[in-house]
């Protein structure tokens, strides 16, 4: 195990613990709703978004405990989006990370409400955190996931089924659907540290944008060639659904090349941070080289 | 037309205009998503929640334009909750305010995402407003609509179908499902004016709680005896669905009596505000005496 693997595991465990602590305990009122929230949020994700918060904060010298609220907020939003994405009226997925998706384990109405309540909880946690810039952080998260960001990306994704997208359209869709929240993870941590040295905010924003798009391209690639056992879901599903993906638009080799080139640009973006950016650089490599 | 009718119309028109301005224009990306958001949000509701924001602000001497963000936020959240409530996996309603519900006018996926994006927009607007206490306002709104508030109330509501609830359980469900957001409308305006004179925050909080419960009891009563033409939906639907309501648990006369008694307690709560509370008092009367 490399030192990076060790750090990643430590940060993932930290995110898991912080999430478990911020989710409401399974108790009345609406115990089943809370059970569904915990079921979906605590099912062993990779916590890439939380790790990006922690890694950015580490680059800026922020203690990890001050980063927990932002780390939880982005993971809660991510969880809500997966629950709603899996619903029958959306992607109709029965499996998520190898387990029944939330509406399969519970029921559709409970899954819908669990997603809604997770979104609210993300904003509650962020608005309550100790940062002097918590209102600005809340605003940033909302922008990233609303009608210009994640929700727009999901809507474009649905409308694109069975259609051919240009590479530009595909990139725009991925930047909104996945990239915006990943970039927000980086920028929420950056907000906690304001004022930043000159040029660092722009550098981090660029890093987040590159890594966010690379992440979704690799997701597309893994959907194409990953193994069900490692992925926790059935591979080839996007293609079977007629969804435009990077491999379907560019071909597999070019898609992988595009992800590697985005990784390289992400690493270049970090140059103003010098040695402070080491963990972020490792994360960018991990995101592009992962197998799940 | 009384002076109050006139004021109410003016505030409703103001809310309508503020909402139209804060919703994203129908343009790419995801133009159809934005069309669905506008369709659902701008369909001529009574704007009770926005009017409570404006009336509370008026009682506290806050200019109306500083209240627009909070007024919009509560109406956007209310709209999102109606869209999701109407979905087939929830109440499966084809009509809302006399028009096709959002998923009927568009499709289920678009309606789901429109609701999600409206929730995000509510937080974005609040987090961006000029109040020094905007983070606290965001937190309050999130608490009111999350897993202890509105979402819990909706989950309890679903679980209660076909069951008998005690009056206490019914009250708890209504306070969460409807009361929490109505109380939040009052308290968001109150936050904008901090520091308040001693006792005013508690008085307004109590007023909001009484009015919030009264509002839902009257909704139950109107569902039982209202006319389809005035309601914009089919009366008797809750009873047909086997949902516990105040009339089904207490009988119609006792339900109406309970609403009137809550109105009286709301009026009493306002006594520390003296003449400043006049508009809030009129609103409490309107909420209990309305026919739609």
């Amino acid at each position: 195990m490399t030192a990076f693997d060790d750090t990643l595991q430590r940060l993932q465990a930290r995110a898991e613990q912080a999430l478990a602590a911020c989710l409401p305990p399974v108790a009345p009122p609406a115990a089943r709703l809370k059970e569904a929230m915990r079921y979906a949020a605590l099912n062993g994700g990779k916590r890439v978004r939380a790790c990006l918060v922690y890694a950015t904060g580490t680059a800026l010298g922020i203690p990890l405990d001050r980063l927990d609220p932002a780390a939880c907020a982005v993971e809660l939003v991510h969880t809500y989006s997966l629950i709603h994405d899996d619903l029958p009226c959306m992607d109709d997925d029965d499996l998520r990370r190898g387990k029944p998706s939330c509406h399969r384990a519970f029921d559709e109405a409970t899954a819908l409400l669990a997603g809604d309540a997770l979104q609210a909880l993300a904003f509650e946690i962020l608005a309550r955190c100790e940062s002097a810039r918590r209102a600005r952080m809340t605003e940033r998260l909302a922008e990233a996931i609303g009608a210009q960001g994640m929700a727009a990306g999901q809507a474009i994704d649905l409308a694109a089924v069975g259609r051919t997208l240009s590479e530009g359209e595909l990139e725009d869709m991925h930047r909104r659907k996945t990239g915006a929240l990943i970039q927000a993870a980086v920028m929420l941590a950056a907000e906690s540290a304001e004022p930043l040295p000159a040029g660092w905010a722009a550098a981090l924003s660029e890093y987040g944008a590159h890594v966010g798009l690379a992440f979704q391209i690799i997701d597309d690639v893994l959907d194409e060639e990953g193994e069900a056992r490692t992925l926790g879901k059935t591979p080839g599903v996007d293609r079977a659904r007629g969804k435009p993906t990077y491999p379907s638009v560019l071909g597999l080799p070019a898609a992988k090349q595009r992800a590697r080139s985005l990784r390289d640009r992400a690493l270049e973006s970090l140059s103003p941070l010098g040695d402070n950016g080491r963990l972020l650089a490792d994360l960018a490599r991990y995101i592009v080289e992962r197998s799940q």
Side-chain angles (χ1 to χ4, degrees), chain A residues 108-193:
Chain A
E108 279 184 52
T110 302
L112 174 68
L113 291 173
D116 290 344
L118 285 166
Q119 182 179 166
L121 182 60
F123 286 112
E124 187 179 333
I125 287 170
L126 217 46
R128 182 184 289 157
C129 80
E130 278 172 34
S131 164
R133 296 181 58 82
R134 58 190 183 277
R136 177 72 185 116
M137 292 162 75
T138 310
E139 189 188 343
R140 265 203 188 262
L141 181 66
E143 280 170 358
I145 71 176
Q148 311 287 355
M150 189 176 74
Q154 290 171 299
I156 297 170
D157 189 45
L158 284 166
V161 169
R163 279 183 51 219
T164 312
L165 295 190
S166 70
E167 192 188 339
E169 290 173 313
L170 186 67
E171 179 176 320
D172 178 72
M173 173 178 96
H174 277 13
R175 284 197 188 279
R176 294 179 197 277
K177 193 178 69 166
T178 312
L181 180 58
I182 287 185
Q183 194 180 22
V186 173
M187 296 316 288
L188 291 186
E191 288 287 351
S192 315

Side-chain angles (χ1 to χ4, degrees), chain A residues 226-279:
Chain A
E227 289 178 31
R229 193 176 43 80
T230 340
L231 288 180
K233 59 184 179 184
T234 324
V237 162
D238 288 344
R239 178 181 290 264
R241 284 197 184 109
K243 289 208 172 186
T245 64
Y246 265 82
S248 73
V249 170
L250 295 189
L252 258 176
K256 290 182 191 175
Q257 184 46 47
R258 183 96 174 82
R260 283 192 296 262
S261 130
L262 283 161
R263 174 201 57 199
D264 295 343
R265 288 167 67 191
L267 299 180
E268 279 161 34
S269 310
L270 292 174
S271 61
L273 281 71
D275 258 10
N276 289 46
R278 208 177 321 157
L279 183 52

Side-chain angles (χ1 to χ4, degrees), chain A residues 84-92 103 108 112 158:
Chain A
H84 283 189
D85 251 351
D86 286 343
L87 284 171
C89 70
M90 299 277 290
D91 281 353
D92 195 11
H103 67 280
E108 279 184 52
L112 174 68
L158 284 166

Side-chain angles (χ1 to χ4, degrees), chain A residues 5-253:
Chain A
D5 292 335
D6 189 56
T7 303
L8 190 63
Q9 274 193 13
R10 200 167 37 79
L11 294 180
Q12 285 166 334
R14 182 178 188 98
E16 208 67 25
Q17 212 165 2
L19 276 169
C22 79
L23 284 157
V26 180
R32 191 175 152 82
L33 171 71
K34 292 167 188 166
E35 201 185 335
M37 292 167 73
R38 297 186 78 92
Y39 173 86
L42 302 174
N43 78 346
K46 295 178 296 295
R47 310 297 179 208
V48 168
R49 293 155 190 81
C51 289
L52 280 165
V53 172
Y54 291 131
T56 307
T58 301
L60 304 175
I62 306 170
L64 291 180
D65 59 342
R66 278 185 43 210
L67 298 162
D68 287 333
C72 287
V74 292
E75 290 295 331
L76 292 172
V77 162
H78 177 53
T79 303
Y80 120 65
S81 77
L82 296 181
I83 297 177
H84 283 189
D85 251 351
D86 286 343
L87 284 171
C89 70
M90 299 277 290
D91 281 353
D92 195 11
D93 265 317
D94 291 344
L95 280 183
R96 173 62 65 184
R97 294 178 189 147
K99 291 197 307 179
S101 46
C102 189
H103 67 280
R104 284 289 167 195
F106 294 83
D107 56 81
E108 279 184 52
T110 302
L112 174 68
L113 291 173
D116 290 344
L118 285 166
Q119 182 179 166
L121 182 60
F123 286 112
E124 187 179 333
I125 287 170
L126 217 46
R128 182 184 289 157
C129 80
E130 278 172 34
S131 164
R133 296 181 58 82
R134 58 190 183 277
R136 177 72 185 116
M137 292 162 75
T138 310
E139 189 188 343
R140 265 203 188 262
L141 181 66
E143 280 170 358
I145 71 176
Q148 311 287 355
M150 189 176 74
Q154 290 171 299
I156 297 170
D157 189 45
L158 284 166
V161 169
R163 279 183 51 219
T164 312
L165 295 190
S166 70
E167 192 188 339
E169 290 173 313
L170 186 67
E171 179 176 320
D172 178 72
M173 173 178 96
H174 277 13
R175 284 197 188 279
R176 294 179 197 277
K177 193 178 69 166
T178 312
L181 180 58
I182 287 185
Q183 194 180 22
V186 173
M187 296 316 288
L188 291 186
E191 288 287 351
S192 315
E194 297 258 59
L196 293 178
W200 283 32
L204 287 168
S205 176
E206 228 179 276
Y207 166 87
H210 294 323
V211 162
L213 182 56
F215 182 91
Q216 183 58 49
I217 295 177
I218 295 298
D219 244 32
D220 285 0
V221 166
L222 291 172
D223 180 73
E224 196 76 11
E225 60 173 20
E227 289 178 31
R229 193 176 43 80
T230 340
L231 288 180
K233 59 184 179 184
T234 324
V237 162
D238 288 344
R239 178 181 290 264
R241 284 197 184 109
K243 289 208 172 186
T245 64
Y246 265 82
S248 73
V249 170
L250 295 189
L252 258 176

